[in-house]
Amino acid sequence: MIMSKKANYSFSLFIKIIIFLIFLFARTFTGFTLFGFRLGEYFIAGSFTLLIIYSFIIPIYKKKYFLDDKKLNFFTCFLIISFFIFNFFFDTNLLDPFLYKTSSYIWSFGALVIGYNITSNIGFKINEEDIYLSFFGLFVIYIYSTRGISENLQNFFLNYSDKFEYPKGSDLLLACVFVFYLFLEKKNYSKHALFLVFIFGSLYAPLFLVKSRSGFISLFLFALLTIPSFKKNIKKIDLSFAIVFVLSVLVFVLSTSWVVSKDIVIDEEIDSELKFAITSRYRTINDNVYEREVLKLKLFYFENNRLFSSDGNLNWRLQIWQDISRDMSGSTLLIGYGYHDIIPAMDSDQRTGQDRTNINVHNYFIHILSRGGLIHLASVIAIYYLLFQKFKSQNLTKDYFLLIIPLIFNSLFDPSMENAHYPIILFLTIGLAFNKPIILDKDIL
């Protein structure tokens, strides 16, 4: 790809602006409609196109494989070909956009090409200004997520988007992991890098605790995974650590007070009365039985050969996952329910969410199992394993764990990987990680 320096700069700036807008407006941004299609649909279509080109066309004509890996190329081709075979088996209309929405776990792998091939070809760089603008961006996202905007502005967005909502916990997690990872790599896990991440982590922690417990745990996992790198580069603890610790506690307290004082939208897909209705255990959550019995229950318990939880949201998810695993058998277990209709376990008023539009099972791997069966689940797991092997061969094992473990863990309790933007940014970042020597002009603060 031959482009002028000005064109390279413009394209790089365009990518950075798009990423920021995704982080700031999340689902609202991807819902903007242009020429009859939403931006999220363009993202998936673009990723679909890149996956086809780099998995089939380029290997055939240039003998260059997807991510320069023959095995990865094989499994991406297998996913694509089997997708069309499965749809032939179900006799579906291949022009139906719903098919590609429910199979986005395949097409989003195309975003690896953006990070691995395209950004390196255009000379994409993360410079010093980008790093600090990213943290300013995180602060803007925090204020937007906590303070909110007026109803008039919300209506303005709704004039151009199909939905208005503030960033969910998964969106905030994605932004934090993206910025923290690039910053820590660029600054080589230095002491001052630790201080800045610690302060911003303290700022965001109360917001995560309110919006998404899985997001909070995922961010905590990310922090744990950075400890070995910090221990290797920071040899002693001095007065500056104490100062930053006190400052972080102060930031945490102020953030907690701010978040509690605001009417934060919690990541709820179900209303409170449905949380316990699916167990048929209590007639109402307001009776004395609830206060006397439910609050005594353990987090997990078995009843009638089913696993339940005293946590309403978690229990809602557990029942869906168990229904899917028990319903699937024979050819359905092998190739899934297909992509043309709602998964049978989700065909219930109790599972369609407050706005009655939810069709997601809130678990990345169970979603793959239900749509493409064991064949696709095994293939996707193989792709992640081969990506790990590729990272390992380049001494980037730590990078792989930092990106995959927190973001995939969160997707085990959230429909994030079924969104258009979350997997696109995840795989773009993985592609960027392969180009770390080129993209990250490292220096120490």
Side-chain angles (χ1 to χ4, degrees):
M1 181 185 296
I2 300 175
M3 298 174 64
S4 67
K5 182 178 290 188
K6 184 176 181 180
N8 287 345
Y9 174 80
S10 298
F11 190 58
S12 297
L13 181 61
F14 174 75
I15 291 176
K16 293 170 186 176
I17 291 173
I18 290 296
I19 290 173
F20 173 70
L21 291 175
I22 289 174
F23 288 156
L24 180 61
F25 296 114
R27 175 62 179 80
T28 303
F29 178 69
T30 58
F32 277 98
T33 302
L34 186 65
F35 304 117
F37 294 95
R38 293 171 295 182
L39 287 182
E41 292 170 328
Y42 283 113
F43 291 158
I44 294 299
S47 188
F48 170 95
T49 303
L50 289 173
L51 192 64
I52 296 293
I53 292 173
Y54 280 82
S55 295
F56 288 98
I57 300 176
I58 290 180
I60 291 173
Y61 288 98
K62 293 188 176 181
K63 305 300 180 183
K64 186 176 181 181
Y65 298 107
F66 179 70
L67 300 190
D68 299 320
D69 190 297
K70 191 173 183 179
K71 292 180 180 178
L72 275 170
N73 203 115
F74 169 80
F75 279 104
T76 55
C77 288
F78 178 79
L79 280 175
I80 295 169
I81 293 171
S82 59
F83 166 78
F84 288 105
I85 292 175
F86 291 173
N87 279 289
F88 177 80
F89 176 82
F90 286 110
D91 192 26
T92 56
N93 177 14
L94 290 176
L95 297 180
D96 184 359
F98 189 77
L99 299 180
Y100 302 94
K101 175 183 178 181
T102 54
S103 61
S104 63
Y105 66 86
I106 303 173
W107 320 120
S108 56
F109 281 120
L112 287 164
V113 172
I114 303 174
Y116 187 80
N117 297 95
I118 296 177
T119 52
S120 60
N121 290 336
I122 67 171
F124 185 85
K125 295 287 183 181
I126 304 294
N127 55 43
E128 200 75 16
E129 291 77 16
D130 294 328
I131 289 295
Y132 293 105
L133 282 174
S134 295
F135 278 98
F136 176 73
L138 282 183
F139 184 73
V140 171
I141 294 168
Y142 172 85
I143 295 298
Y144 173 71
S145 299
T146 54
R147 187 178 183 275
I149 58 175
S150 68
E151 187 173 343
N152 287 335
L153 281 174
Q154 292 181 31
N155 291 330
F156 171 79
F157 281 118
L158 283 172
N159 287 332
Y160 302 97
S161 179
D162 67 334
K163 185 176 184 179
F164 176 83
E165 66 179 19
Y166 293 105
K168 291 187 175 183
S170 58
D171 302 317
L172 300 176
L173 174 70
L174 185 65
C176 286
V177 169
F178 180 86
V179 173
F180 290 170
Y181 168 73
L182 292 179
F183 175 65
L184 292 176
E185 286 297 321
K186 188 171 180 65
K187 298 306 175 182
N188 200 28
Y189 296 84
S190 66
K191 180 174 69 175
H192 292 90
L194 173 63
F195 291 167
L196 188 56
V197 170
F198 204 70
I199 289 172
F200 267 84
S202 300
L203 178 71
Y204 265 87
L207 182 56
F208 275 110
L209 286 170
V210 169
K211 289 187 72 70
S212 171
R213 284 165 292 179
S214 63
F216 177 82
I217 295 172
S218 298
L219 191 63
F220 182 70
L221 288 173
F222 177 87
L224 288 178
L225 291 167
T226 64
I227 291 176
S229 298
F230 281 121
K231 287 180 67 176
K232 183 172 64 176
N233 295 329
I234 302 174
K235 304 301 182 182
K236 64 177 181 178
I237 297 178
D238 54 24
L239 180 62
S240 60
F241 277 90
I243 295 173
V244 171
F245 176 77
V246 173
L247 181 59
S248 298
V249 171
L250 179 61
V251 169
F252 178 81
V253 171
L254 291 175
S255 178
T256 300
S257 177
W258 172 260
V259 168
V260 169
S261 68
K262 301 297 178 180
D263 186 19
I264 303 296
V265 177
I266 303 174
D267 294 358
E268 299 280 2
E269 296 81 17
I270 52 175
D271 59 53
S272 57
E273 294 189 6
L274 290 180
K275 292 178 184 178
F276 294 93
I278 55 174
T279 67
S280 300
R281 188 180 177 93
Y282 304 102
R283 289 173 298 177
T284 170
I285 66 169
N286 295 315
D287 59 23
N288 294 330
V289 177
Y290 171 74
E291 283 80 8
R292 186 174 66 251
E293 299 294 329
V294 173
L295 297 181
K296 295 179 182 179
L297 291 174
K298 296 179 180 179
L299 181 59
F300 298 104
Y301 61 96
F302 282 93
E303 186 175 289
N304 298 325
N305 295 319
R306 289 183 73 94
L307 177 64
F308 293 91
S309 173
S310 57
D311 180 283
N313 275 319
L314 181 56
N315 191 50
W316 183 76
R317 289 159 170 77
L318 285 174
Q319 304 317 307
I320 292 173
W321 303 340
Q322 289 174 98
D323 284 346
I324 291 174
S325 63
R326 293 186 179 195
D327 291 346
M328 299 183 75
S329 62
S331 62
T332 304
L333 181 61
L334 194 62
I335 65 174
Y337 290 112
Y339 310 92
H340 57 290
D341 206 351
I342 296 175
I343 296 167
M346 297 303 297
D347 191 14
S348 167
D349 290 342
Q350 295 177 351
R351 292 176 174 173
T352 54
Q354 294 183 12
D355 58 4
R356 300 295 182 256
T357 62
N358 175 63
I359 61 171
N360 299 312
V361 301
H362 292 70
N363 185 295
Y364 177 44
F365 292 120
I366 292 180
H367 170 75
I368 296 172
L369 176 66
S370 60
R371 290 300 182 183
L374 287 174
I375 292 177
H376 273 200
L377 180 60
S379 300
V380 169
I381 291 174
I383 289 176
Y384 280 107
Y385 174 74
L386 291 171
L387 283 172
F388 167 72
Q389 290 295 321
K390 189 171 178 64
F391 269 86
K392 186 178 179 181
S393 68
Q394 298 183 25
N395 296 317
L396 297 173
T397 302
K398 173 201 67 181
D399 301 70
Y400 186 79
F401 289 153
L402 275 176
L403 296 173
I404 289 296
I405 291 178
L407 295 176
I408 295 298
F409 174 83
N410 182 71
S411 74
L412 300 181
F413 305 91
D414 188 272
S416 52
M417 289 296 282
E418 283 75 75
N419 292 326
H421 58 284
Y422 190 97
I424 296 292
I425 297 296
L426 168 59
F427 293 130
L428 182 149
T429 310
I430 291 175
L432 288 176
F434 282 121
N435 288 314
K436 196 163 56 174
I438 300 173
I439 296 168
L440 301 178
D441 184 18
K442 289 188 177 182
D443 58 298
I444 306 296
L445 273 174

Tab-separated table of all heavy atoms in Angstrom, residues 312-356:
chain	number	residue	atom	x	y	z
A	312	GLY	N	-29.704	-11.929	41.378
A	312	GLY	CA	-30.721	-11.958	40.329
A	312	GLY	C	-30.176	-11.936	38.918
A	312	GLY	O	-30.597	-12.722	38.061
A	313	ASN	N	-29.252	-11.015	38.631
A	313	ASN	CA	-28.714	-10.913	37.272
A	313	ASN	C	-27.919	-12.150	36.888
A	313	ASN	O	-28.022	-12.652	35.763
A	313	ASN	CB	-27.814	-9.675	37.156
A	313	ASN	CG	-28.612	-8.431	36.843
A	313	ASN	OD1	-29.531	-8.466	36.042
A	313	ASN	ND2	-28.273	-7.331	37.491
A	314	LEU	N	-27.106	-12.645	37.802
A	314	LEU	CA	-26.326	-13.849	37.525
A	314	LEU	C	-27.247	-15.054	37.350
A	314	LEU	O	-27.033	-15.904	36.475
A	314	LEU	CB	-25.321	-14.101	38.652
A	314	LEU	CG	-24.415	-15.323	38.496
A	314	LEU	CD1	-23.639	-15.254	37.187
A	314	LEU	CD2	-23.469	-15.445	39.685
A	315	ASN	N	-28.291	-15.120	38.171
A	315	ASN	CA	-29.247	-16.229	38.084
A	315	ASN	C	-29.955	-16.233	36.724
A	315	ASN	O	-30.166	-17.283	36.115
A	315	ASN	CB	-30.268	-16.123	39.214
A	315	ASN	CG	-31.113	-17.375	39.325
A	315	ASN	OD1	-30.580	-18.481	39.366
A	315	ASN	ND2	-32.423	-17.208	39.353
A	316	TRP	N	-30.311	-15.038	36.256
A	316	TRP	CA	-30.955	-14.892	34.943
A	316	TRP	C	-30.077	-15.501	33.855
A	316	TRP	O	-30.547	-16.223	32.979
A	316	TRP	CB	-31.194	-13.410	34.703
A	316	TRP	CG	-31.916	-13.052	33.447
A	316	TRP	CD1	-33.247	-13.179	33.190
A	316	TRP	CD2	-31.337	-12.489	32.268
A	316	TRP	NE1	-33.534	-12.712	31.929
A	316	TRP	CE2	-32.383	-12.275	31.340
A	316	TRP	CE3	-30.040	-12.112	31.914
A	316	TRP	CZ2	-32.165	-11.727	30.083
A	316	TRP	CZ3	-29.822	-11.562	30.662
A	316	TRP	CH2	-30.873	-11.380	29.761
A	317	ARG	N	-28.782	-15.221	33.926
A	317	ARG	CA	-27.835	-15.752	32.948
A	317	ARG	C	-27.682	-17.270	33.101
A	317	ARG	O	-27.664	-18.004	32.103
A	317	ARG	CB	-26.478	-15.074	33.104
A	317	ARG	CG	-26.465	-13.622	32.636
A	317	ARG	CD	-25.306	-12.853	33.261
A	317	ARG	NE	-25.123	-11.548	32.664
A	317	ARG	CZ	-25.872	-10.482	32.902
A	317	ARG	NH1	-26.907	-10.594	33.746
A	317	ARG	NH2	-25.621	-9.326	32.329
A	318	LEU	N	-27.549	-17.731	34.327
A	318	LEU	CA	-27.354	-19.167	34.569
A	318	LEU	C	-28.490	-20.001	33.992
A	318	LEU	O	-28.258	-21.081	33.423
A	318	LEU	CB	-27.233	-19.430	36.077
A	318	LEU	CG	-25.921	-19.048	36.753
A	318	LEU	CD1	-26.032	-19.243	38.260
A	318	LEU	CD2	-24.754	-19.866	36.191
A	319	GLN	N	-29.716	-19.523	34.128
A	319	GLN	CA	-30.857	-20.288	33.623
A	319	GLN	C	-30.837	-20.362	32.091
A	319	GLN	O	-31.161	-21.399	31.503
A	319	GLN	CB	-32.176	-19.681	34.121
A	319	GLN	CG	-32.276	-19.555	35.636
A	319	GLN	CD	-31.753	-20.790	36.364
A	319	GLN	OE1	-32.171	-21.910	36.085
A	319	GLN	NE2	-30.822	-20.576	37.297
A	320	ILE	N	-30.453	-19.261	31.452
A	320	ILE	CA	-30.345	-19.254	29.986
A	320	ILE	C	-29.286	-20.257	29.534
A	320	ILE	O	-29.530	-21.080	28.634
A	320	ILE	CB	-29.988	-17.843	29.477
A	320	ILE	CG1	-31.163	-16.881	29.709
A	320	ILE	CG2	-29.614	-17.888	27.993
A	320	ILE	CD1	-30.840	-15.436	29.391
A	321	TRP	N	-28.110	-20.198	30.143
A	321	TRP	CA	-27.001	-21.068	29.732
A	321	TRP	C	-27.359	-22.550	29.926
A	321	TRP	O	-27.041	-23.385	29.075
A	321	TRP	CB	-25.741	-20.723	30.515
A	321	TRP	CG	-25.323	-19.286	30.388
A	321	TRP	CD1	-25.702	-18.411	29.399
A	321	TRP	CD2	-24.477	-18.551	31.263
A	321	TRP	NE1	-25.143	-17.178	29.619
A	321	TRP	CE2	-24.388	-17.224	30.755
A	321	TRP	CE3	-23.788	-18.860	32.430
A	321	TRP	CZ2	-23.615	-16.239	31.375
A	321	TRP	CZ3	-23.023	-17.884	33.054
A	321	TRP	CH2	-22.948	-16.592	32.530
A	322	GLN	N	-28.026	-22.849	31.048
A	322	GLN	CA	-28.400	-24.235	31.302
A	322	GLN	C	-29.476	-24.720	30.337
A	322	GLN	O	-29.464	-25.873	29.898
A	322	GLN	CB	-28.858	-24.393	32.757
A	322	GLN	CG	-27.710	-24.270	33.751
A	322	GLN	CD	-28.196	-24.288	35.193
A	322	GLN	OE1	-28.164	-25.313	35.862
A	322	GLN	NE2	-28.657	-23.141	35.667
A	323	ASP	N	-30.416	-23.836	30.000
A	323	ASP	CA	-31.445	-24.211	29.036
A	323	ASP	C	-30.825	-24.531	27.680
A	323	ASP	O	-31.209	-25.512	27.022
A	323	ASP	CB	-32.473	-23.089	28.881
A	323	ASP	CG	-33.434	-23.024	30.058
A	323	ASP	OD1	-33.470	-23.998	30.837
A	323	ASP	OD2	-34.135	-22.008	30.195
A	324	ILE	N	-29.872	-23.714	27.261
A	324	ILE	CA	-29.223	-23.947	25.971
A	324	ILE	C	-28.458	-25.259	25.983
A	324	ILE	O	-28.576	-26.076	25.061
A	324	ILE	CB	-28.273	-22.776	25.633
A	324	ILE	CG1	-29.076	-21.511	25.344
A	324	ILE	CG2	-27.385	-23.122	24.432
A	324	ILE	CD1	-28.228	-20.277	25.146
A	325	SER	N	-27.680	-25.489	27.033
A	325	SER	CA	-26.863	-26.707	27.098
A	325	SER	C	-27.727	-27.964	27.167
A	325	SER	O	-27.364	-29.011	26.631
A	325	SER	CB	-25.921	-26.648	28.301
A	325	SER	OG	-26.654	-26.597	29.514
A	326	ARG	N	-28.911	-27.863	27.809
A	326	ARG	CA	-29.788	-29.027	27.933
A	326	ARG	C	-30.621	-29.251	26.680
A	326	ARG	O	-31.005	-30.384	26.369
A	326	ARG	CB	-30.696	-28.861	29.148
A	326	ARG	CG	-29.936	-28.891	30.471
A	326	ARG	CD	-30.873	-28.876	31.665
A	326	ARG	NE	-30.123	-28.932	32.924
A	326	ARG	CZ	-30.671	-29.211	34.104
A	326	ARG	NH1	-31.965	-29.460	34.190
A	326	ARG	NH2	-29.933	-29.237	35.199
A	327	ASP	N	-30.916	-28.163	25.965
A	327	ASP	CA	-31.755	-28.285	24.764
A	327	ASP	C	-30.981	-28.831	23.570
A	327	ASP	O	-31.556	-29.491	22.701
A	327	ASP	CB	-32.347	-26.925	24.386
A	327	ASP	CG	-33.390	-26.448	25.383
A	327	ASP	OD1	-33.834	-27.280	26.201
A	327	ASP	OD2	-33.736	-25.259	25.349
A	328	MET	N	-29.689	-28.538	23.511
A	328	MET	CA	-28.908	-28.903	22.330
A	328	MET	C	-28.525	-30.382	22.353
A	328	MET	O	-28.040	-30.890	23.351
A	328	MET	CB	-27.645	-28.041	22.232
A	328	MET	CG	-27.925	-26.560	22.092
A	328	MET	SD	-26.435	-25.572	21.899
A	328	MET	CE	-26.000	-25.954	20.191
A	329	SER	N	-28.731	-31.046	21.228
A	329	SER	CA	-28.364	-32.461	21.105
A	329	SER	C	-28.297	-32.819	19.624
A	329	SER	O	-28.821	-32.095	18.772
A	329	SER	CB	-29.381	-33.367	21.807
A	329	SER	OG	-30.669	-33.229	21.212
A	330	GLY	N	-27.651	-33.918	19.314
A	330	GLY	CA	-27.580	-34.395	17.941
A	330	GLY	C	-26.945	-33.392	17.006
A	330	GLY	O	-25.908	-32.797	17.293
A	331	SER	N	-27.589	-33.163	15.852
A	331	SER	CA	-27.034	-32.236	14.855
A	331	SER	C	-27.009	-30.811	15.371
A	331	SER	O	-26.132	-30.018	14.998
A	331	SER	CB	-27.857	-32.311	13.563
A	331	SER	OG	-29.205	-31.915	13.800
A	332	THR	N	-27.965	-30.466	16.236
A	332	THR	CA	-27.984	-29.111	16.805
A	332	THR	C	-26.739	-28.862	17.637
A	332	THR	O	-26.142	-27.781	17.575
A	332	THR	CB	-29.234	-28.900	17.670
A	332	THR	OG1	-30.395	-29.156	16.907
A	332	THR	CG2	-29.283	-27.483	18.205
A	333	LEU	N	-26.318	-29.840	18.420
A	333	LEU	CA	-25.111	-29.698	19.219
A	333	LEU	C	-23.889	-29.556	18.319
A	333	LEU	O	-22.946	-28.833	18.635
A	333	LEU	CB	-24.939	-30.903	20.143
A	333	LEU	CG	-23.723	-30.890	21.083
A	333	LEU	CD1	-23.778	-29.700	22.031
A	333	LEU	CD2	-23.656	-32.190	21.874
A	334	LEU	N	-23.913	-30.208	17.185
A	334	LEU	CA	-22.758	-30.199	16.285
A	334	LEU	C	-22.664	-28.907	15.481
A	334	LEU	O	-21.574	-28.318	15.377
A	334	LEU	CB	-22.844	-31.388	15.331
A	334	LEU	CG	-21.581	-31.737	14.542
A	334	LEU	CD1	-20.448	-32.125	15.477
A	334	LEU	CD2	-21.868	-32.848	13.546
A	335	ILE	N	-23.785	-28.436	14.927
A	335	ILE	CA	-23.739	-27.255	14.052
A	335	ILE	C	-24.559	-26.085	14.581
A	335	ILE	O	-24.632	-25.035	13.925
A	335	ILE	CB	-24.218	-27.605	12.626
A	335	ILE	CG1	-25.693	-28.004	12.631
A	335	ILE	CG2	-23.356	-28.708	12.033
A	335	ILE	CD1	-26.263	-28.221	11.236
A	336	GLY	N	-25.155	-26.224	15.758
A	336	GLY	CA	-25.877	-25.114	16.367
A	336	GLY	C	-27.282	-24.919	15.815
A	336	GLY	O	-27.765	-25.685	14.975
A	337	TYR	N	-27.920	-23.851	16.287
A	337	TYR	CA	-29.276	-23.522	15.840
A	337	TYR	C	-29.273	-22.725	14.543
A	337	TYR	O	-30.335	-22.455	13.974
A	337	TYR	CB	-30.000	-22.700	16.910
A	337	TYR	CG	-30.351	-23.474	18.154
A	337	TYR	CD1	-29.728	-23.201	19.366
A	337	TYR	CD2	-31.327	-24.466	18.138
A	337	TYR	CE1	-30.058	-23.899	20.527
A	337	TYR	CE2	-31.664	-25.173	19.278
A	337	TYR	CZ	-31.027	-24.876	20.477
A	337	TYR	OH	-31.359	-25.578	21.616
A	338	GLY	N	-28.098	-22.300	14.090
A	338	GLY	CA	-28.028	-21.469	12.899
A	338	GLY	C	-28.121	-19.994	13.234
A	338	GLY	O	-28.093	-19.588	14.397
A	339	TYR	N	-28.288	-19.176	12.208
A	339	TYR	CA	-28.179	-17.724	12.363
A	339	TYR	C	-29.438	-16.976	11.943
A	339	TYR	O	-29.465	-15.752	11.982
A	339	TYR	CB	-27.003	-17.228	11.509
A	339	TYR	CG	-25.729	-18.011	11.749
A	339	TYR	CD1	-25.409	-19.125	10.974
A	339	TYR	CD2	-24.865	-17.648	12.769
A	339	TYR	CE1	-24.249	-19.851	11.212
A	339	TYR	CE2	-23.706	-18.371	13.016
A	339	TYR	CZ	-23.405	-19.474	12.233
A	339	TYR	OH	-22.267	-20.202	12.478
A	340	HIS	N	-30.455	-17.704	11.558
A	340	HIS	CA	-31.621	-17.088	10.940
A	340	HIS	C	-32.734	-16.724	11.915
A	340	HIS	O	-33.679	-16.029	11.537
A	340	HIS	CB	-32.205	-18.032	9.878
A	340	HIS	CG	-32.570	-19.383	10.438
A	340	HIS	ND1	-31.633	-20.289	10.837
A	340	HIS	CD2	-33.790	-19.956	10.678
A	340	HIS	CE1	-32.234	-21.380	11.286
A	340	HIS	NE2	-33.543	-21.206	11.209
A	341	ASP	N	-32.624	-17.163	13.173
A	341	ASP	CA	-33.743	-16.943	14.090
A	341	ASP	C	-33.215	-16.772	15.518
A	341	ASP	O	-32.032	-16.988	15.793
A	341	ASP	CB	-34.705	-18.132	14.033
A	341	ASP	CG	-36.119	-17.740	14.420
A	341	ASP	OD1	-36.314	-16.595	14.891
A	341	ASP	OD2	-37.027	-18.567	14.260
A	342	ILE	N	-34.109	-16.397	16.413
A	342	ILE	CA	-33.755	-16.270	17.826
A	342	ILE	C	-33.464	-17.642	18.398
A	342	ILE	O	-34.134	-18.625	18.065
A	342	ILE	CB	-34.912	-15.599	18.600
A	342	ILE	CG1	-35.132	-14.169	18.087
A	342	ILE	CG2	-34.616	-15.568	20.098
A	342	ILE	CD1	-36.331	-13.485	18.709
A	343	ILE	N	-32.480	-17.735	19.259
A	343	ILE	CA	-32.162	-18.988	19.940
A	343	ILE	C	-33.379	-19.384	20.784
A	343	ILE	O	-33.929	-18.540	21.507
A	343	ILE	CB	-30.908	-18.817	20.812
A	343	ILE	CG1	-29.701	-18.519	19.924
A	343	ILE	CG2	-30.646	-20.061	21.659
A	343	ILE	CD1	-28.490	-18.042	20.679
A	344	PRO	N	-33.844	-20.634	20.714
A	344	PRO	CA	-35.067	-21.039	21.420
A	344	PRO	C	-35.088	-20.660	22.899
A	344	PRO	O	-36.144	-20.258	23.412
A	344	PRO	CB	-35.082	-22.566	21.232
A	344	PRO	CG	-34.388	-22.777	19.930
A	344	PRO	CD	-33.302	-21.733	19.874
A	345	ALA	N	-33.976	-20.776	23.582
A	345	ALA	CA	-33.940	-20.452	25.013
A	345	ALA	C	-34.206	-18.977	25.277
A	345	ALA	O	-34.571	-18.595	26.399
A	345	ALA	CB	-32.585	-20.854	25.611
A	346	MET	N	-34.038	-18.132	24.253
A	346	MET	CA	-34.261	-16.694	24.416
A	346	MET	C	-35.663	-16.279	23.986
A	346	MET	O	-36.023	-15.107	24.107
A	346	MET	CB	-33.234	-15.905	23.589
A	346	MET	CG	-31.796	-16.121	24.016
A	346	MET	SD	-31.525	-15.713	25.754
A	346	MET	CE	-31.907	-13.959	25.761
A	347	ASP	N	-36.445	-17.211	23.502
A	347	ASP	CA	-37.790	-16.903	23.020
A	347	ASP	C	-38.774	-16.881	24.184
A	347	ASP	O	-39.659	-17.729	24.312
A	347	ASP	CB	-38.209	-17.928	21.975
A	347	ASP	CG	-39.472	-17.514	21.242
A	347	ASP	OD1	-39.860	-16.336	21.362
A	347	ASP	OD2	-40.070	-18.364	20.546
A	348	SER	N	-38.596	-15.895	25.051
A	348	SER	CA	-39.424	-15.758	26.258
A	348	SER	C	-39.462	-14.294	26.666
A	348	SER	O	-38.450	-13.585	26.585
A	348	SER	CB	-38.841	-16.600	27.398
A	348	SER	OG	-39.443	-16.257	28.633
A	349	ASP	N	-40.625	-13.832	27.101
A	349	ASP	CA	-40.755	-12.441	27.546
A	349	ASP	C	-39.845	-12.135	28.724
A	349	ASP	O	-39.472	-10.985	28.950
A	349	ASP	CB	-42.210	-12.147	27.937
A	349	ASP	CG	-43.128	-12.109	26.734
A	349	ASP	OD1	-42.615	-11.962	25.607
A	349	ASP	OD2	-44.351	-12.245	26.917
A	350	GLN	N	-39.511	-13.168	29.508
A	350	GLN	CA	-38.670	-12.967	30.678
A	350	GLN	C	-37.198	-12.775	30.302
A	350	GLN	O	-36.387	-12.470	31.165
A	350	GLN	CB	-38.793	-14.161	31.620
A	350	GLN	CG	-40.182	-14.333	32.215
A	350	GLN	CD	-40.282	-15.564	33.098
A	350	GLN	OE1	-39.369	-16.384	33.140
A	350	GLN	NE2	-41.389	-15.686	33.805
A	351	ARG	N	-36.866	-12.967	29.027
A	351	ARG	CA	-35.453	-12.931	28.632
A	351	ARG	C	-35.149	-11.913	27.538
A	351	ARG	O	-34.051	-11.884	27.019
A	351	ARG	CB	-35.022	-14.331	28.180
A	351	ARG	CG	-34.995	-15.301	29.349
A	351	ARG	CD	-34.670	-16.711	28.961
A	351	ARG	NE	-34.530	-17.529	30.164
A	351	ARG	CZ	-34.376	-18.843	30.167
A	351	ARG	NH1	-34.344	-19.502	29.011
A	351	ARG	NH2	-34.253	-19.510	31.302
A	352	THR	N	-36.106	-11.104	27.198
A	352	THR	CA	-35.884	-10.137	26.127
A	352	THR	C	-35.506	-8.762	26.645
A	352	THR	O	-35.378	-7.827	25.850
A	352	THR	CB	-37.140	-10.014	25.246
A	352	THR	OG1	-38.269	-9.723	26.074
A	352	THR	CG2	-37.385	-11.294	24.479
A	353	GLY	N	-35.303	-8.630	27.958
A	353	GLY	CA	-34.848	-7.363	28.511
A	353	GLY	C	-35.961	-6.366	28.716
A	353	GLY	O	-37.127	-6.587	28.367
A	354	GLN	N	-35.588	-5.219	29.270
A	354	GLN	CA	-36.580	-4.189	29.564
A	354	GLN	C	-37.194	-3.602	28.299
A	354	GLN	O	-38.360	-3.210	28.294
A	354	GLN	CB	-35.926	-3.086	30.401
A	354	GLN	CG	-35.506	-3.557	31.790
A	354	GLN	CD	-34.921	-2.434	32.621
A	354	GLN	OE1	-35.029	-1.265	32.263
A	354	GLN	NE2	-34.292	-2.771	33.724
A	355	ASP	N	-36.384	-3.508	27.219
A	355	ASP	CA	-36.922	-2.942	25.988
A	355	ASP	C	-37.436	-4.016	25.035
A	355	ASP	O	-37.788	-3.726	23.892
A	355	ASP	CB	-35.873	-2.075	25.288
A	355	ASP	CG	-34.601	-2.862	24.954
A	355	ASP	OD1	-34.570	-4.086	25.195
A	355	ASP	OD2	-33.649	-2.245	24.443
A	356	ARG	N	-37.448	-5.280	25.500
A	356	ARG	CA	-37.982	-6.417	24.741
A	356	ARG	C	-37.260	-6.638	23.398
A	356	ARG	O	-37.840	-7.135	22.441
A	356	ARG	CB	-39.492	-6.219	24.478
A	356	ARG	CG	-40.316	-6.113	25.757
A	356	ARG	CD	-40.302	-7.402	26.543
A	356	ARG	NE	-41.115	-7.324	27.748
A	356	ARG	CZ	-40.624	-7.189	28.976
A	356	ARG	NH1	-39.310	-7.103	29.163
A	356	ARG	NH2	-41.419	-7.143	30.021
